[in-house]
């Protein structure tokens, strides 16, 4: 008897590009999806496609010989025009999603997104299909979030409407339904672990910021913190990785504050460049407004860079409430004061934070992620 093909359907908002017969997408997302797809004979990806954009530094190709992209238009509901466009396109989008769901053996949702919101509604009519959802946003109960995000959290975890679902969330939260499963993300393999080496905190302190140049990541607050530390007599520098809408404003801000010698803009860089910078960094800093699994922070911790972060999402748990990092408020005066207090505690204290950060982060490897994904697919 011929073996039945295992078919995976992925529903995502990630924009795709094509080059040399392969589909590319945002590298951290595709890197993880390549683990999921390796378990299947055929893969159908439902998501947006761009024929104009070129493959860039942050793009990676899907690694599967039998993968098809079911193209749907990009859309949003942030304006009346966007809502009207969605209404016109909804029948086509819904038809494509439904057709893929009826064909696939396993349904996988990348959340939160507009695409996953529509797919989450349609999946109600497929109660017997095995499903998984990777919720990459903040799962913290009662946190202030857009209504679309709250709706997806409610629907995906609702065991009456959503059957056969495992919702993979960042952090461990009380009073969740049986379908909610604590999960994680990872960038580095076991083979990339480095032994702990005590860093010299008496030399110039290197801070690394990895994130998009957008309001939510607070790049200006990050720069202001470094400026304050310099004014307080600390010898330090900031290396910023990322691109975005605010990139030119950030560059102008650095120049206007005469910080060109202290703040270095690197733009988007590949994994290896960032990895080399994290290895000799003393701190990673990300005073973000919202996070799911803060990969930028976890990546720095992997190499002993002490994390500095706002008290959002699962970050207090990741930093063990200050035992393996520095938790700050999103206020310049308060944040600077907290960091200065930690620096004044001396090298032994900072070395302890660094060692604890490294040991924790090195438990969350790609190798472990592969095993956890295998468990999800075989439950």
């Amino acid at each position: 008897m011929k073996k039945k093909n295992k078919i995976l359907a992925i529903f995502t908002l990630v924009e795709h590009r094509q080059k040399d017969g392969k589909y590319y997408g945002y590298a951290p997302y595709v890197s993880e999806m390549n683990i999921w797809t390796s378990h299947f004979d055929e893969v159908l990806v439902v998501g947006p496609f761009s024929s104009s954009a070129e493959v860039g530094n942050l793009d990676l190709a899907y690694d599967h010989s039998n993968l098809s992209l079911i193209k749907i238009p990009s859309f949003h509901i942030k304006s009346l025009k966007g809502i009207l466009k969605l209404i016109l396109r909804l029948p086509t989008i819904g038809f494509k999603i439904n057709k893929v769901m009826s064909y696939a053996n396993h349904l996988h949702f990348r959340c939160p997104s507009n695409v996953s919101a529509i797919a989450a509604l349609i999946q109600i009519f497929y109660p017997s299909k095995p499903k998984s959802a990777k919720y990459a946003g903040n799962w913290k109960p009662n946190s202030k979030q857009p209504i679309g995000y709250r709706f997806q959290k409610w629907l995906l975890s609702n065991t009456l409407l959503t059957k056969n679902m495992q919702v993979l969330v960042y952090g461990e939260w009380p009073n969740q339904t049986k379908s909610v499963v604590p999960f994680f993300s990872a960038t580095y393999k076991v083979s990339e672990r480095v032994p702990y080496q005590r860093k010299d905190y008496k030399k110039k302190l290197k801070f690394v910021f990895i994130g998009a140049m957008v309001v939510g990541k607070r790049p200006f607050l990050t720069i202001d913190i470094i400026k304050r530390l310099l004014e307080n007599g600390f010898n330090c520098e900031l290396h910023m990785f990322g691109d975005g809408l605010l990139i030119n404003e950030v560059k102008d801000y650095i120049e206007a504050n005469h910080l060109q010698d202290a703040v270095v803009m690197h733009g988007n860089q590949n994994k290896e460049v960032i990895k080399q910078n994290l290895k000799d960094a003393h701190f990673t800093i990300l005073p973000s407004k919202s996070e799911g699994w803060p990969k930028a922070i976890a990546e720095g911790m992997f190499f002993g860079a002490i994390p500095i972060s706002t008290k959002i999402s699962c970050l207090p748990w990741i930093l063990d409430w200050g035992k393996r990092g520095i938790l700050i408020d999103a206020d310049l005066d308060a944040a600077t004061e907290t960091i200065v207090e930690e620096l004044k505690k001396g090298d032994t204290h900072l070395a302890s934070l660094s060692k604890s950060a490294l040991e924790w982060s090195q438990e969350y490897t790609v190798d472990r992620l592969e095993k956890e994904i295998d468990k999800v697919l075989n439950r």
Side-chain angles (χ1 to χ4, degrees):
M1 183 179 291
K2 185 178 179 181
K3 177 186 172 185
K4 185 179 179 181
N5 280 356
K6 293 174 65 178
I7 305 164
L8 173 67
I10 304 167
F11 305 92
T12 177
L13 191 63
V14 169
E15 187 175 77
H16 295 78
R17 298 162 181 80
Q18 192 171 22
K19 182 181 178 182
D20 299 331
K22 288 191 173 185
Y23 287 109
Y24 288 73
Y26 180 54
Y29 151 78
V30 173
S31 179
E32 182 180 315
M33 291 319 304
N34 282 338
I35 301 174
W36 290 85
T37 61
S38 66
H39 292 264
F40 294 86
D41 304 305
E42 184 178 355
V43 179
L44 302 174
V45 181
V46 180
F49 174 76
S50 173
S51 58
S52 57
E54 294 182 357
V55 173
N57 285 339
L58 294 184
D59 291 318
L60 181 69
Y62 287 99
D63 184 19
H64 198 282
S65 60
N66 190 14
L67 182 144
S68 302
L69 177 66
I70 313 303
K71 302 171 186 175
I72 60 172
S74 297
F75 61 92
H76 65 82
I77 53 173
K78 296 179 181 178
S79 66
L80 179 59
K81 185 178 179 181
I83 293 172
L84 291 174
K85 279 187 175 181
L86 174 58
I87 292 172
L88 292 173
R89 294 170 173 172
L90 196 55
T92 301
I93 295 171
F95 175 79
K96 287 185 176 182
I97 289 175
N98 182 66
K99 187 176 180 180
V100 168
M101 284 190 180
S102 66
Y103 178 69
N105 305 128
H106 185 97
L107 312 180
H108 183 69
F109 308 82
R110 305 302 291 192
C111 311
S113 74
N114 294 333
V115 174
S116 63
I118 297 173
L121 283 168
I122 298 174
Q123 63 79 28
I124 294 173
F125 301 100
Y126 294 92
S128 63
K129 297 252 181 181
K131 310 176 190 82
S132 55
K134 180 73 177 290
Y135 194 89
N138 179 6
W139 193 263
K140 183 179 180 180
N142 303 320
S143 59
K144 188 177 180 181
Q145 294 182 6
I147 189 169
Y149 288 19
R150 297 201 304 273
F151 168 74
Q152 288 177 66
K153 289 169 69 175
W154 170 79
L155 180 56
L156 291 169
S157 61
N158 187 307
T159 54
L160 182 63
L161 295 173
T162 303
K163 305 289 186 182
N164 271 330
M165 172 66 81
Q166 294 177 78
V167 190
L168 313 177
V169 307
Y170 297 141
E172 298 181 15
W173 308 104
N175 305 318
Q176 300 299 308
T177 61
K178 63 181 181 180
S179 60
V180 176
V181 180
F183 214 68
F184 65 97
S185 190
T187 302
Y188 302 113
K189 298 180 179 181
V190 168
S191 60
E192 294 177 279
R193 284 175 176 165
V194 296
Y196 170 72
Q197 287 187 316
R198 183 162 173 157
K199 301 189 179 187
D200 186 355
Y201 297 98
K202 289 185 171 61
K203 64 189 293 188
K204 181 182 281 190
L205 299 175
K206 180 177 179 178
F207 291 74
V208 172
F209 170 99
I210 306 170
M213 297 296 158
V214 295
V215 172
K217 299 296 181 181
R218 295 195 176 109
F220 296 107
L221 175 57
T222 305
I223 294 167
D224 286 340
I225 289 172
I226 297 302
K227 184 171 181 284
R228 282 286 182 88
L229 291 175
L230 288 166
E231 291 169 352
N232 277 273
F234 292 96
N235 186 15
C236 59
E237 62 184 12
L238 172 65
H239 292 259
M240 304 187 81
F241 294 86
D243 203 346
L245 294 174
L246 298 178
I247 186 72
N248 290 325
E249 290 181 45
V250 171
K251 289 178 179 177
D252 291 342
Y253 190 74
I254 293 168
E255 187 174 343
N257 285 275
H258 309 292
L259 292 169
Q260 297 95 320
D261 293 336
V263 182
V264 183
M265 299 287 292
H266 296 273
N268 285 337
Q269 297 292 335
N270 61 38
K271 175 186 169 183
E272 286 304 314
V273 172
I274 291 175
K275 179 179 175 180
Q276 292 307 313
N277 272 268
L278 290 175
K279 282 185 173 181
D280 64 357
H282 296 91
F283 301 91
T284 47
I285 181 167
L286 190 66
S288 175
K289 287 185 178 181
S290 180
E291 289 291 330
W293 183 270
K295 291 186 76 171
I297 288 291
E299 287 170 8
M301 293 170 73
F302 197 91
F303 300 108
I306 299 170
I308 301 174
S309 171
T310 37
K311 305 165 187 175
I312 54 169
S313 185
C314 59
L315 273 156
W317 170 73
I318 287 176
L319 273 60
D320 196 15
W321 288 268
K323 293 179 182 177
R324 49 177 170 252
I326 303 172
L327 290 164
I328 59 174
D329 294 313
D331 172 81
L332 177 58
D333 293 332
T336 306
E337 183 180 349
T338 299
I339 294 169
V340 168
E341 286 177 359
E342 293 294 314
L343 292 174
K344 286 183 176 178
K345 289 179 182 178
D347 290 12
T348 301
H349 171 69
L350 295 174
S352 175
L353 293 179
S354 171
K355 188 172 187 290
S356 297
L358 178 144
E359 291 174 345
W360 179 88
S361 186
Q362 289 192 2
E363 289 297 313
Y364 294 91
T365 61
V366 172
D367 309 69
R368 180 176 172 182
L369 182 62
E370 290 173 348
K371 292 177 182 177
E372 293 302 318
I373 289 173
D374 185 67
K375 288 179 185 178
V376 170
L377 293 173
N378 288 288
R379 276 177 183 162

